[in-house]
Amino acid sequence: MGKIAIMGAMPEEIEPIIATLHDLRETEYAANVYYEGNYKGQEVVVAYSKIGKVFATLTTAILIERFCCDKLLFSGVAGAINKELKIGDLIMADGLCQHDLDITAFGHPYGFVPEGDVCIWADSWLKQIAKKVAYDKNLILKEGIIATGDQFVASSERKEWIRQTFKADALEMEGAAVAVVCASLDVPFFVLRAISDSADMDAGFDFDEFLKSSAKLSANFILSMVEKLKNQ
Ligand code: 3QA
């Protein structure tokens, strides 16, 4: 089994993972730090990209091309769109789209550019592993569409537009960038998010309040997935 990449966007999203690694090695590259280590016998490479699609694209490409990871698991927090999602709930991405990509002036749908796809689908085998982990741990794991854009959404109007346009259940700022890179390089990927806020007028406050606790829920789940993958 090859190396597994574990990626977050913010330090809080990967610190609980790095804290569990053995034989930790740090490499500085492309103005960032990559952490190689071992989790229960599985080699992993962990990094936080920094916020947004551009940094996420860069980090995903480096984890695959320079660190030779053959799978990528993203762990982090998200804003809820679907009313069934409450703070602390876990959602895995089925499809991911870019809500801020707009060449509709040329008659194309939102989220589409030529030779791209509005929605990119996460790896179904990794989703199956996640369902088994949820079952083993007696956790509820939801599945849905995640919308990505370079905006911290704190508006019910914007949230409702994203829901209607993409049928999205949650939103964040990196997932679709990870998906585009992994799909292009034919690397199986999985995106997990724990809800930190509801992307409404309270979002800034809720985010500050729940970033750490929700990030830890996501990180713990991802670590269980790594263990399960190792035993496959
Ligand atoms: C927000 C983080 C970014 O990496 C995307 C969190 C949770 N709630 C969201 C929302 N809209 C968009 N995305 C999210 N992550 C970065 S801004 C806060 C930075 O604080 C998911 C996410 N409502 C830094 C302190 O100055």
Side-chain angles (χ1 to χ4, degrees):
M1 181 94 123
K3 286 189 266 182
I4 300 175
I6 306 175
M7 185 176 149
M10 301 179 72
E12 290 85 349
E13 291 173 325
I14 64 155
E15 267 156 13
I17 293 167
I18 291 171
T20 67
L21 300 184
H22 290 102
D23 309 327
L24 193 63
R25 280 111 52 211
E26 293 182 26
T27 306
E28 281 181 41
Y29 189 71
N32 205 352
V33 183
Y34 290 80
Y35 301 86
E36 293 175 88
N38 191 288
Y39 183 74
K40 301 195 175 169
Q42 171 64 53
E43 282 299 312
V44 298
V45 188
V46 185
Y48 74 89
S49 58
K50 297 177 264 197
I51 294 161
K53 294 195 293 178
V54 176
F55 282 132
T57 301
L58 175 67
T59 302
T60 305
I62 289 169
L63 284 165
I64 296 167
E65 292 287 301
R66 159 138 192 183
F67 290 94
C68 303
C69 294
D70 66 4
K71 284 175 205 66
L72 187 146
L73 310 177
F74 189 102
S75 181
V77 300
I81 300 177
N82 191 319
K83 288 188 178 62
E84 286 175 19
L85 287 171
K86 305 295 180 202
I87 288 168
D89 285 356
L90 292 167
I91 176 170
M92 64 174 168
D94 177 19
L96 299 111
C97 54
Q98 296 180 62
H99 68 71
D100 58 348
L101 190 54
D102 179 356
I103 58 164
T104 56
F106 299 90
H108 291 297
Y110 285 103
F112 177 85
V113 292
E115 299 179 61
D117 295 298
V118 173
C119 199
I120 297 179
W121 305 99
D123 184 76
S124 55
W125 184 70
L126 290 173
K127 287 195 304 176
Q128 279 306 119
I129 299 287
K131 284 179 191 170
K132 287 183 193 164
V133 167
Y135 181 85
D136 291 350
K137 298 180 65 144
N138 211 0
L139 288 171
I140 294 173
L141 174 63
K142 295 191 170 147
E143 181 175 358
I145 305 284
I146 291 184
T148 301
D150 283 328
Q151 304 166 347
F152 182 83
V153 177
S155 141
S156 300
E157 290 73 39
R158 179 70 189 161
K159 178 169 93 154
E160 180 58 18
W161 182 86
I162 293 169
R163 189 187 69 75
Q164 284 180 8
T165 309
F166 299 98
K167 298 185 171 18
D169 299 290
L171 57 84
E172 35 85 314
M173 302 178 68
E174 298 84 17
V178 170
V180 169
V181 175
C182 289
S184 301
L185 295 170
D186 210 17
V187 170
F189 73 94
F190 176 83
V191 176
L192 180 71
R193 298 277 185 171
I195 300 301
S196 57
D197 59 83
S198 296
D200 54 12
M201 57 189 260
D202 299 324
F205 178 86
D206 287 344
F207 177 81
D208 283 340
E209 188 79 6
F210 298 109
L211 166 63
K212 268 204 173 169
S213 56
S214 292
K216 188 147 176 56
L217 293 171
S218 178
N220 286 342
F221 192 98
I222 289 287
L223 287 171
S224 299
M225 280 182 73
V226 172
E227 191 175 356
K228 187 139 223 111
L229 284 166
K230 207 230 148 203
N231 298 327
Q232 286 300 303

